[in-house]
Amino acid sequence: MFRLTRAAQHQPLNAFRRSFASVTTNEIGAFTADGKRIVSMIPGDGIGPEISISVKKIFEADKVPIVWEDVNVTPVLKNGKTAIPDEALHSINRNKIALKGPLETPIGKGHVSLNLTLRRTFDLFANVRPCKSIVGYKTPFDNVDSVLIRENTEGEYSGIEHTVVDGVVQSIKLITEEASRRVSEYAFDYARSVGRKSVTIVHKANIQKQADGLFLATALDVAKNYPDIKVQDALLDRVCLQIVQDPTDFSDTVMVMPNLYGDILSDLGAGLIGGLGLTPSGNIGRKASIFESVHGTAPDIAGKDLANPTALLLSSVMMLRHMKLDDHADRIQKAVLKTIADGKYRTGDLGGKATNTEFTNAVISNL
């Protein structure tokens, strides 16, 4: 059976910095006259505007040198296809960095997923999903420290479907060498930059011999250019089994995989640390990058000052590291984690009774 080397009991200094990171691509971005970076903010739907305000308040309290540019991505139909408004398109293309709250795709109006539209529009080829246990917040596992990188543009999410005959539908899984190579290169670069010793290629090439076979062969070919990084491959079902038996087996590797597998395994990892409300996410492209909370819009608590902003805050920490603002990222990250560990101002989803405002103010106090 596939088995990874167990990570050391005591991890290096700044282990959280190592986990909540991303590798910078060739972005440039926009700046104000006094040198502050301009960042597009997509507040999103439901609780999105509330948690976005929390991020803004905490960034202001820490004097982070950025300026927010709010944009609306409510979809429009152009030539029968879902598209984001020109204003948002121009903002993200200009600024190269965006932070996004949860989005709700309109049902029954001809629109495809807004998140999928954003990935396609800006060619966000790699989704980075770190999952790390939070000290002081008890879950069945207290030693999770995994990083998953998901190919973000093709696979089963390519949207190529058609009806063969009545009652028979065919969905095509698209795998290309080009997309497989660039996400694999990103995974190896990521592992090297954050000090992880290996890359694990997750696949089902035993069944999908051509599609996953191409992904696996391409990733193994990329590995030849990284002799300092160990490489291994593992079947998706075995990884799912093993990560819920002993998460520490994945504490010193970076997992890379096709689109659908990453969607499933990243949520499984989130469940190990307490849910999507504690999980950051970054979508990386060569032209722009978008960092986001991956939980839902929670319309049942929207506008009630009950939302937990942790996922968006930790995603903003990833964003700051991507922008090389590590000192601010460190302070905000430590303040968020201390607030949760102290337990006094936890929101309802974490078993507490604090409001969003109370949680936000506690984080500011802990800066």
Side-chain angles (χ1 to χ4, degrees), residues 310-325:
T310 298
L312 193 61
L313 282 166
L314 293 180
S315 297
S316 75
V317 166
M318 288 182 68
M319 180 189 76
L320 290 173
R321 299 206 194 291
H322 189 82
M323 297 163 64
K324 306 302 182 184
L325 296 173

Side-chain angles (χ1 to χ4, degrees), residues 41-248:
M41 169 65 88
I42 305 169
D45 304 312
I47 61 173
E50 298 167 68
I51 60 177
S52 298
I53 289 173
S54 295
V55 172
K56 290 180 178 180
K57 288 180 177 178
I58 292 166
F59 272 47
E60 181 180 6
D62 199 56
K63 296 181 172 56
V64 180
I66 70 170
V67 173
W68 300 104
E69 185 173 273
D70 283 11
V71 293
N72 178 18
V73 295
T74 301
V76 295
L77 288 177
K78 292 183 178 180
N79 300 320
K81 295 183 179 181
T82 300
I84 65 172
D86 287 342
E87 180 183 358
L89 182 68
H90 297 327
S91 173
I92 298 172
N93 276 329
R94 178 174 60 250
N95 299 332
K96 309 300 183 187
I97 293 282
L99 185 66
K100 181 182 78 66
L103 293 175
E104 185 71 36
T105 299
I107 303 298
K109 296 183 180 180
H111 296 291
V112 299
S113 164
L114 291 180
N115 291 316
L116 187 59
T117 300
L118 286 169
R119 293 170 196 156
R120 289 176 175 173
T121 300
F122 298 104
D123 196 21
L124 305 174
F125 66 88
N127 178 230
V128 183
R129 291 284 292 273
C131 286
K132 185 169 179 67
S133 297
I134 294 179
V135 176
Y137 182 65
K138 184 62 179 174
T139 63
F141 296 98
D142 57 7
N143 52 0
V144 180
D145 185 10
S146 65
V147 175
L148 178 155
I149 295 179
R150 160 190 174 188
E151 201 292 315
N152 219 16
T153 63
E154 52 181 35
E156 290 86 353
Y157 292 3
S158 301
I160 307 172
E161 295 183 313
H162 63 274
T163 299
V164 180
V165 295
D166 288 345
V168 180
V169 173
Q170 187 176 55
S171 179
I172 297 176
K173 173 177 180 174
L174 179 69
I175 296 288
T176 65
E177 181 180 348
E178 178 184 3
S180 301
R181 185 170 297 278
R182 65 179 179 179
V183 76
S184 297
E185 288 174 345
Y186 185 85
F188 279 92
D189 286 336
Y190 185 100
R192 180 182 283 172
S193 70
V194 301
R196 292 193 173 233
K197 297 178 181 178
S198 69
V199 167
T200 302
I201 308 161
V202 182
H203 63 91
K204 284 293 291 183
N206 59 326
I207 303 298
Q208 299 189 345
K209 298 182 185 299
Q210 291 196 50
D212 282 22
L214 176 60
F215 186 90
L216 174 60
T218 303
L220 289 173
D221 186 58
V222 168
K224 297 175 183 177
N225 298 320
Y226 299 84
D228 53 317
I229 305 294
K230 296 178 182 178
V231 63
Q232 54 246 321
D233 67 279
L235 298 177
L236 172 67
D237 43 341
R238 293 183 182 179
V239 173
C240 291
L241 172 64
Q242 191 170 339
I243 200 170
V244 299
Q245 290 181 325
D246 188 358
T248 62

Side-chain angles (χ1 to χ4, degrees), residues 13 22 27 33 59 91 133 157-158 280 299 326 350 361:
L13 187 65
S22 72
E27 303 158 356
F59 272 47
S91 173
S133 297
Y157 292 3
S158 301
D326 287 326
L350 300 180
N361 290 338

